[in-house]
Amino acid sequence: MNLKNTTNPEKNVAVLEFVIDKETFDAEVTKVFEKKKADITLPGFRRGKAPRHLIEKMYGAATFYDDALAALVPPAYEEALKESGVNAVSGPEYDIKSIDENGVTVTAKVFTKPEINLEGYKGLELTRKIAPVTDEEVENALKAALEKNARVIDVEDRPVKNGDTVKINYKGMLDGVAFEGGTAENADLKLGSGQFIPGFEEQVEGHNIGESFDIDVTFPEEYGAAELAGKAVVFHIDLLSAKETILPEADDEFAKDVSEFDTLDEYKADLKAKIEREHNDVAMRDVNEKIANALGELVTDEIPEVMFDNEVENLIRDYDGRLRSMGMKLDDYLKYTGGSLDSLREEMRPRAIAQVKTRLALEKVAEIEKVEVSEEEVEAEFTKIAESYQMEVAQVKMYIAAEDLKKDLEVQKAADFVRDNAVITDVE
C-alpha cells in the first residue's frame, strides 16, 4: 500500500499523497540507464561505454529520473486512488514533493464527483403528446411498400422525366475552369429527388440517352463552400443511361404478395397500427426527454467544470463517429460549414451540461431507491450489445467493463422508476 494520506483542500477536490519506495525507484532508474546508455557519449569513452556515475556527474544525478517517474507514477497513482476510495472525475495533476532516502513522495490533485442533494423527483407532472395517425401517413407507407416492390426497366425510346434514375458524367466549370468537387463519372441521380443543387435536375429532364449538353445553374448564397456560394456555373452533362420505376397496382393481390393479409384494407389497417406504435414510441421518447430535463433542473449543486468539458469531448467523439459512418471526416465537415472545433465545443456545451446533470440526478435516484442490477441482467445486456453489433460477447467485454455496464443499467432502471412515478397526461 503506497497511499500516505488524502485531503480535501476545497469542495469537489481531493489531493492524494503517495509514496514510491526507494528500492522500486532505484530499480527503475537503473532500467532507464541500461536502455539509454547505448546512445550516450562522454569524452574518452566509446558510445555506450561511459560509467553511470560519470554520466550522472556530468549531466546531474536526476538525468534518468524523468523517464523513471513517467513509468512509475501513473500505476502508483491508480493504486493509491483505488485505496483512497476517491471518485475522481478528472485526470491527476502530479507534483513530485521529494526524492530522498525514503523514496519518492508524490501528490495528485483531482476533481471529485459532487455529492448531489435531490428532491422532487417523484410525482413529476408531464404531458405526453400522442399524434393521431392520418390518412396521408397510411398512404405514404403504402407508397413506400409499392416502391420497394417496383419493377425497374431501362429507358430507351423517350426523353428522361421526373422520377427516372439517370446515370451521368458531369463536369462543373466556374469562369471556364473546373472547380473542386464538381466532376464525377457514372453518377446515379433520381430526377426530382432534390439531391443536387436547385435547377440541376430540372434541366436534365427532357434529354435523350446518349446526349451531351450544358446546363447553367447558380449555387445558393448559403452554400457551404464559400468559393462557390452564389456563383453561376456551367455543367457539361453526358447522359449515359436511365431507368424507370414502375409501381405495382395497390390491390388485394398486392396485399397477398407482401403480407399475411388477404385484402388491401386489412394490409392498410396493419400499416396504420404500425404507424400508431411509432407515434407512441416518439411520444415516449419525448416524455423521457422531459424527465431528463426536469431531473437536470433539480440539480443545483456545484459541479466541477471538468465534468462538462469531458462530456463535450465525448459528444464530439460521438459526432465524429457518426460522420465517419457516412463517409465524412470531422475536419472536412467543419471546413464545408465554415465552423471550427472551438465553435463546435461551444455549440455542444449546453447539451453536455444537461446530460451531466441528468446523469448525476439518476445516479442519485438509484442510490436513494437502492436500485439493484443482477449479474444475469449484466450478462443479458452484453449479449444484446453483441447481437446488435454482430460480435462475440467476449469481444464486447474487451471494450466495455462489466462495472461500467452495470452502472448504466442502474441509471436506466432509475429513469424507469422516475417515469413510473410521474403523473403523465396524454394529449393529442
Side-chain angles (χ1 to χ4, degrees), residues 91-208:
E93 181 182 320
Y94 296 123
D95 185 10
I96 308 301
K97 290 298 183 181
S98 64
I99 301 177
D100 52 31
E101 65 277 3
N102 296 317
V104 183
T105 301
V106 186
T107 61
K109 176 184 175 181
V110 295
F111 288 94
T112 59
K113 180 181 175 181
E115 182 61 35
I116 299 300
N117 297 301
L118 192 68
E119 296 179 357
Y121 61 87
K122 290 182 182 179
L124 294 175
E125 295 185 0
L126 307 167
T127 57
R128 177 169 51 193
K129 297 180 180 179
I130 305 293
V133 180
T134 65
D135 292 340
E136 182 182 4
E137 287 178 296
V138 176
E139 290 303 319
N140 286 339
L142 177 60
K143 182 180 178 182
L146 292 170
E147 291 175 345
K148 184 177 180 181
N149 292 274
R151 291 187 300 120
V152 178
I153 62 172
D154 290 328
V155 173
E156 296 176 346
D157 56 355
R158 63 166 176 79
V160 296
K161 63 182 181 180
N162 192 348
D164 290 339
T165 297
V166 298
K167 188 178 290 292
I168 58 175
N169 295 337
Y170 62 83
K171 184 175 184 179
M173 310 288 286
L174 174 62
D175 297 331
V177 179
F179 55 86
E180 184 179 356
T183 302
E185 295 184 352
N186 297 312
D188 290 323
L189 169 63
K190 185 170 184 177
L191 300 180
S193 65
Q195 182 180 346
F196 281 26
I197 60 175
F200 188 105
E201 296 170 26
E202 294 85 349
Q203 294 183 70
V204 175
E205 294 177 30
H207 290 278
N208 291 294

Side-chain angles (χ1 to χ4, degrees), residues 221-289:
E221 292 289 344
E222 66 277 8
Y223 193 70
E227 64 275 14
L228 295 174
K231 298 295 179 62
V233 299
V234 176
F235 277 96
H236 179 73
I237 310 292
D238 297 323
L239 182 51
L240 306 176
S241 63
K243 294 183 181 295
E244 179 183 5
T245 301
I246 300 177
L247 301 180
E249 289 293 326
D251 53 22
D252 293 344
E253 290 303 315
F254 174 74
K256 291 177 183 178
D257 289 341
V258 299
S259 71
E260 70 272 26
F261 302 104
D262 293 326
T263 68
L264 182 63
D265 287 342
E266 290 176 313
Y267 179 56
K268 290 173 71 173
D270 183 63
L271 291 177
K272 182 176 181 178
K274 289 178 179 176
I275 296 171
E276 188 173 23
R277 289 195 292 272
E278 291 172 0
H279 283 195
N280 288 335
D281 290 342
V282 170
M284 188 54 69
R285 286 197 294 271
D286 181 60
V287 166
N288 290 337
E289 185 175 345

